[in-house]
Amino acid sequence: MNASSDIGLVGLAVMGQNLALNIADHGYNIAVFNRNSERTSDFIAQCKANEPSAPRVSGYTDVAEFVRNIKRPRKIILLVKAGAATDDTIASLMPHLEADDIIIDGGNALWGDTIRREKELSAKGFAFIGSGVSGGETGARFGPSLMPGGSAKAWASLEPIWRDIAAKVDPVTGQQLDGATPGHPLVGGVPCTAHIGPDGAGHYVKMVHNGIEYIDMQLICEAYALMKNMLGMSAGEIGKVFDSWNKGTLSSFLIEITADILQQKDPEDASGQTFLVDKVLDTAGQKGTGMWTAANALELGAPANAIAEAVFARALSALKAERVAASQILKGPQLPFEKDRETIIAAIQDALYCSKICAYAQGFQLMKEAEKEYNWTLNFATIAQIWRGGCIIRARFLQKITDAYNTQPDLKNLMLDSYFTNALHDAQNNWRKVIGLAVQHGIAVPAFSSALAYFDGYRSANLPANLLQGQRDYFGAHTYERTDKPRGEFFHLDWPKTPRMQVKV
Ligand code: 2AM
């Protein structure tokens, strides 16, 4: 029997189903398999009923037969639960694989696991690609952002399919191209995928994407909170503001859906008077990728404080019962709504933009640390380009990041690119004003204010860490360097025993 499928896919939950259909729509024959075979038969039946590409999708209930029917060297995508399920699935495929076959993990794996799996599989003569897949269910179906990491040889084999199924953006404006009619690849569009680097680099970059997604969402929520609690605006009114922001520099998928969410009426209220968002419980869930990003930033000593704040903000939101009880005890200021609505809305827009620049600067700074730590060479212009379409953080703004890194590949920090420097200079007064007002009103804006602390810290030639080193040396003999001596020379003073000099205070 001749193998008939160009590629295989294991794991037929929604992401797997949609990615399989996307691949079939682009003219590839695909074999699919799921641990529970009922899912496979249901999917095949539903394909036959609804999908023009159904003849290109073959379902298998026997893993050996599934593997046998894929052309060699085989490419097998995994879209199973991250963690042990991925290892179990790899183990179940292994006895049936042959030299140079490639396993592609499209799940949300921790990059360290991907490094380990790549090592294990390549030692056995197979290849392993860990590919971030972003864009949710719709992205998987009609064009995700794809962040693959693995050997260059394995990538060369996967690349044509990955480029075909990825989202496409306009090469000049960076805008996502619509009309991704199944089976008709967008001519001239730049695909939102490229080889990120070896082993875990793809999953690492996907993780940072998610960390940035956390802070992007939190910043938007803080802008909403200010308009609601400081200006007394209704959800619908705020939604209209986001609509207008979506036409400018802040234009992005998240701003667009925020405008939509805020203007949604409550379907349970027949009077049509209430907005659904006002009925949604204010406790945020999380699956862990934001936490991974923050934890990794702590491990690498990279100052990604705003990204971490976004994770903590979700954690605080989850303490609903405690917050409700505390609201009866701990009192803040009671100020009337601010009157100068239009001026303050414009200032909030500036605060959001400045904070967003800092958040992305932190994400890229973290990736710069990671490339040193894990021995990767990352292309930041390409990473920003991959994020222009398909994924959750897609935004007009990312084109500016691509431009910045294209002009200066060794740029130390995004804030030092002239476009972003100017944007921060132009808008920082409003940013400070908004945070000042928020503080006066007692409205928590952890992401706005920690982004500003990052900006103010980064642009400070002198920080109070001189005193900190004094403290460390005082109680722990940790030594200090002196500003009037070369770097690398360390000093210690027996602070308590050294007689006090008479310094005039
Ligand atoms: P299932 O339908 O048999 O549960 C998302 O949960 C996907 O991961 C599903 O396709 C699910 O298969 C698969 N999955 C979860 N745990 C798994 C495991 N231990 N081995 C193989 N597949 C698994």
Side-chain angles (χ1 to χ4, degrees), residues 83-99:
T86 307
D87 288 314
D88 292 350
T89 308
I90 293 171
S92 71
L93 290 168
M94 199 88 93
H96 312 290
L97 299 181
E98 292 171 88

Side-chain angles (χ1 to χ4, degrees), residues 8-10 31-33 60 62-70 93:
L9 183 145
V10 182
V32 296
F33 177 85
Y60 295 89
D62 177 74
V63 69
E65 204 192 330
F66 162 73
V67 174
R68 252 199 324 273
N69 274 284
I70 305 167
L93 290 168

Side-chain angles (χ1 to χ4, degrees), residues 10-13 34-37 39 79-81 84-86 88-89:
V10 182
L12 290 172
N34 193 70
R35 177 183 60 172
N36 162 3
S37 57
R39 253 199 220 263
L79 272 162
V80 298
K81 244 164 85 186
T86 307
D88 292 350
T89 308

Side-chain angles (χ1 to χ4, degrees), residues 142-412:
F142 298 112
S145 172
L146 296 167
M147 293 152 254
S151 74
K153 184 177 165 211
W155 167 241
S157 181
L158 179 67
E159 186 175 1
I161 301 180
W162 244 222
R163 287 173 67 90
D164 277 351
I165 66 166
K168 309 288 183 301
V169 293
D170 184 291
V172 179
T173 64
Q175 290 288 87
Q176 182 165 326
L177 297 175
D178 285 327
T181 317
H184 299 281
L186 292 158
V187 179
V190 182
C192 292
T193 187
H195 188 214
I196 301 288
D199 51 60
H203 273 139
Y204 185 88
V205 167
K206 168 62 166 55
M207 175 193 78
V208 176
H209 163 282
N210 284 28
I212 293 176
E213 179 184 312
Y214 269 56
I215 175 73
D216 244 348
M217 294 168 75
Q218 174 65 23
L219 290 170
I220 290 173
C221 291
E222 290 179 15
Y224 155 70
L226 290 170
M227 285 186 265
K228 182 179 172 192
N229 301 321
M230 196 165 78
L231 301 179
M233 293 168 67
S234 73
E237 287 172 322
I238 302 169
K240 294 230 154 43
V241 171
F242 278 102
D243 267 335
S244 72
W245 289 356
N246 199 38
K247 297 189 177 80
T249 47
L250 282 169
S251 169
S252 65
F253 171 70
L254 282 169
I255 295 278
E256 180 188 329
I257 66 162
T258 299
D260 210 20
I261 291 164
L262 287 166
Q263 291 173 80
Q264 171 67 49
K265 294 277 174 65
D266 180 3
E268 305 274 304
D269 176 6
S271 77
Q273 295 300 304
T274 48
F275 291 99
L276 178 57
V277 74
D278 292 328
K279 295 275 176 65
V280 176
L281 193 73
D282 56 329
T283 58
Q286 49 181 316
K287 283 197 184 160
T289 42
M291 184 271 282
W292 290 350
T293 313
N296 181 246
L298 286 170
E299 234 170 85
L300 299 188
N305 54 318
I307 293 176
E309 279 299 345
V311 183
F312 290 133
R314 289 197 192 190
L316 188 62
S317 82
L319 305 177
K320 175 72 176 174
E322 265 184 65
R323 287 189 289 112
V324 170
S327 70
Q328 300 303 312
I329 303 164
L330 303 170
K331 297 296 172 197
Q334 296 276 335
L335 299 188
F337 291 135
E338 293 290 326
K339 293 244 164 19
D340 196 359
R341 225 185 230 194
E342 291 314 311
T343 311
I344 294 174
I345 289 173
I348 296 173
Q349 184 179 10
D350 279 344
L352 181 51
Y353 195 54
C354 289
S355 304
K356 188 175 162 107
I357 293 171
C358 290
Y360 280 70
Q362 292 178 11
F364 279 84
Q365 191 172 21
L366 174 59
M367 290 190 284
K368 240 180 171 352
E369 287 301 321
E371 73 172 344
K372 276 187 259 163
E373 182 75 17
Y374 308 119
N375 251 331
W376 298 327
T377 305
L378 302 176
N379 183 325
F380 299 115
T382 302
I383 290 168
Q385 180 197 304
I386 291 173
W387 292 347
R388 288 182 311 180
C391 62
I392 305 298
I393 64 170
R394 61 183 182 263
R396 184 179 294 181
F397 170 82
L398 282 157
Q399 183 63 36
K400 297 290 180 197
I401 301 183
T402 297
D403 295 345
Y405 282 111
N406 271 334
T407 320
Q408 299 176 75
D410 290 330
L411 186 64
K412 281 237 167 345

